[in-house]
Amino acid sequence: MAAVALAAALVAVAPAVGLADTAPEEMDATGRVVAALEESPVLVDPSFSGALPEDLAQEWGDRIEESGVPLRVLAVPLIEGGDWNGDPGVMAAAVHDRIGGDGHYLVLDGGRLSGHDLTAEGGEAAGSAFYGAATVSREMDYDAPAADQVERAVEVALSEDPEGIYSAAEDQRERGFLDWYYSLGWGWATVSVLLPWIVAALALGGLGAGVYYWRRPRRVPSLPQHAAFDNADRARRDDLSDRAGRELVELGERLSGAVPLAGEDDALGALQEALDAHAAARRIHDALPAEPELVDVAGVLVLLDMAEDHLERATRPAARRRSAPLRSHCYANPLHGTDTKVTRWREFGGSRHVSVPLCGPCARAVRDRRRPTVLAARHDGREVPYFEVPAEESVWAATGFGALRGDLVARVLRGDHAGRER
């Protein structure tokens, strides 16, 4: 069997075999992963032990070593704008590029498995990883426990005939469809009339997907492409930082000339809240280094939006002021804006949940048990979702940029942000 490498990038909460503890922090993210794999064939980032318990990770490691197959299991966070730009294919390619040889990578990102079979020459085609992921997609629901999905994927990937197992699962799924169709009471006569059309549609759909996604050789992303992602991220951050600076000045000028409606105490209060939010935004902005973190730039923009809302309330009639609540930013990524709806977000691999404002795309991802596009922050030398940073170390995590608590402005003004660990 060809060399198999399994990468499971999960969305969950809790600790196991620590990525950060296995290699020096001065290494880049890919270097730390590769160094950790030299110690053990199974690597689980501390964020994901709730979904992949340590005893299971140890069991998989023992099975891999006993098999003699160079199978590697990775559970590493993937975040847009962070390491590997949140792309499981880029992560698999980067690790594979350092290790070399042929490899098969299974990536579990937000509850959805995908397979990446890479060759020593840099190509990609269907193989053990694809059939492992595809079998899981045929046999299990998207919200099946992550450990069960990885267990089955490993079993198929290490089997003597991964393609045969996948084909059997596909046949079973098609038989289940026909059984369901017949159970509707339409009779075999109707089935016999429509069956050729059903089979043709399934065959064309499967063939198209197979040709485009599974059978088409693809070049593995190379390291220069990683630099391209870095450059794009830096340009976006710089653009947002420039925008924050311009809006800070422009809003300050409007606030200095703002006149609240006479005789209305709540209008005066709204204007004071606008001034406080603007002062908090200025405090963060003035403390930004030459190359600021995107999470801090986002904080400035969120505070400016809050100031805008309060200013608008201060200069509108009382009836309209009371009927227009303050806007809520997307909890997953406040840069997605304020067109949000409170959505129940259940922990991946667990039973806890939280109700938070999410934008449309993030809400759909959560409902489909996929990882939304979250805002990244650097913590202990790693890129993590900003809300996974300990609350005592990040005013953004503690308040969800105002989505969890209403005291974001007060916390910034009293210096909570300045005292956090970087």
Side-chain angles (χ1 to χ4, degrees):
M1 181 187 296
V4 179
L6 177 66
L10 310 174
V11 179
V13 197
V17 182
L19 173 58
D21 299 335
T22 57
E25 287 191 5
E26 59 268 19
M27 290 186 179
D28 63 8
T30 302
R32 292 197 298 271
V33 170
V34 173
L37 290 175
E38 294 176 354
E39 303 296 326
S40 170
V42 177
L43 171 62
V44 179
D45 185 86
S47 303
F48 303 136
S49 64
L52 292 182
E54 187 174 357
D55 57 341
L56 283 179
Q58 183 61 52
E59 179 184 334
W60 292 331
D62 293 342
R63 284 165 54 188
I64 291 168
E65 291 177 348
E66 289 174 4
S67 71
V69 176
L71 171 69
R72 299 175 181 90
V73 179
L74 304 179
V76 180
L78 295 179
I79 310 159
E80 184 184 40
D83 299 325
W84 312 290
N85 202 42
D87 188 324
V90 172
M91 180 193 70
V95 174
H96 180 72
D97 187 73
R98 303 282 181 92
I99 295 175
D102 293 337
H104 305 266
Y105 297 77
L106 278 169
V107 179
L108 178 58
D109 184 22
R112 182 167 297 179
L113 273 168
S114 62
H116 305 269
D117 299 280
L118 310 176
T119 67
E121 292 75 26
E124 182 174 355
S128 299
F130 161 70
Y131 293 119
T135 300
V136 169
S137 72
R138 297 303 184 268
E139 296 179 346
M140 298 183 183
D141 295 331
Y142 286 139
D143 59 354
D148 291 349
Q149 295 189 47
V150 176
E151 168 69 27
R152 181 57 171 159
V154 171
E155 180 182 14
V156 174
L158 293 180
S159 69
E160 294 295 328
D161 186 13
E163 184 175 4
I165 295 175
Y166 161 73
S167 297
E170 179 69 11
D171 291 344
Q172 180 62 39
R173 184 178 183 179
E174 291 180 3
R175 285 196 299 272
F177 170 78
L178 292 177
D179 290 344
W180 165 81
Y181 188 90
Y182 180 65
S183 72
L184 296 178
W186 294 341
W188 281 112
T190 306
V191 173
S192 64
V193 172
L194 297 179
L195 184 58
W197 296 99
I198 296 172
V199 172
L202 290 173
L204 287 174
L207 179 61
V211 169
Y212 188 75
Y213 289 107
W214 303 338
R215 298 298 186 185
R216 178 174 61 90
R218 291 172 295 202
R219 294 294 300 175
V220 178
S222 61
L223 292 181
Q225 287 180 299
H226 304 163
F229 281 121
D230 291 340
N231 292 337
D233 291 340
R234 187 176 298 109
R236 178 173 181 244
R237 181 201 63 205
D238 292 345
D239 179 65
L240 289 173
S241 182
D242 291 344
R243 171 186 150 194
R246 291 193 303 271
E247 291 187 5
L248 190 67
V249 173
E250 188 271 337
L251 180 57
E253 292 174 349
R254 287 195 286 123
L255 280 170
S256 65
V259 178
L261 294 179
E264 298 191 17
D265 291 340
D266 56 344
L268 289 171
L271 180 57
Q272 184 58 55
E273 289 180 289
L275 291 168
D276 289 344
H278 183 267
R282 178 172 292 283
R283 173 170 291 195
I284 299 293
H285 183 268
D286 290 350
L288 292 177
E291 294 190 359
E293 288 192 46
L294 183 58
V295 68
D296 293 329
V297 175
V300 175
L301 293 171
V302 167
L303 289 165
L304 288 173
D305 282 348
M306 291 180 174
E308 286 275 9
D309 284 352
H310 290 304
L311 176 59
E312 186 177 355
R313 289 173 60 241
T315 55
R316 65 168 61 154
R320 290 182 56 205
R321 191 182 313 131
R322 287 189 290 269
S323 64
L326 295 176
R327 298 173 294 172
S328 296
H329 290 78
C330 177
Y331 174 72
N333 188 334
L335 294 175
H336 292 171
T338 57
D339 185 9
T340 60
K341 182 178 180 180
V342 174
T343 304
R344 176 170 165 157
W345 185 355
R346 183 159 67 88
E347 175 187 57
F348 181 71
S351 59
R352 296 184 300 174
H353 70 272
V354 62
S355 293
V356 290
L358 294 175
C359 66
C362 287
R364 285 193 295 274
V366 167
R367 286 195 295 269
D368 293 342
R369 300 295 291 148
R370 293 182 290 107
R371 185 187 197 99
T373 305
V374 301
L375 179 64
R378 184 159 290 277
H379 177 63
D380 288 342
R382 298 184 298 122
E383 295 281 357
V384 300
Y386 83 88
F387 44 73
E388 290 186 4
V389 178
E392 63 273 13
E393 299 179 24
S394 168
V395 69
W396 315 126
T399 65
F401 286 90
L404 300 179
R405 304 174 60 102
D407 60 349
L408 172 59
V409 172
R411 285 170 176 255
V412 172
L413 290 178
R414 75 176 181 227
D416 284 10
H417 179 269
R420 76 179 179 91
E421 294 183 15
R422 292 185 178 274

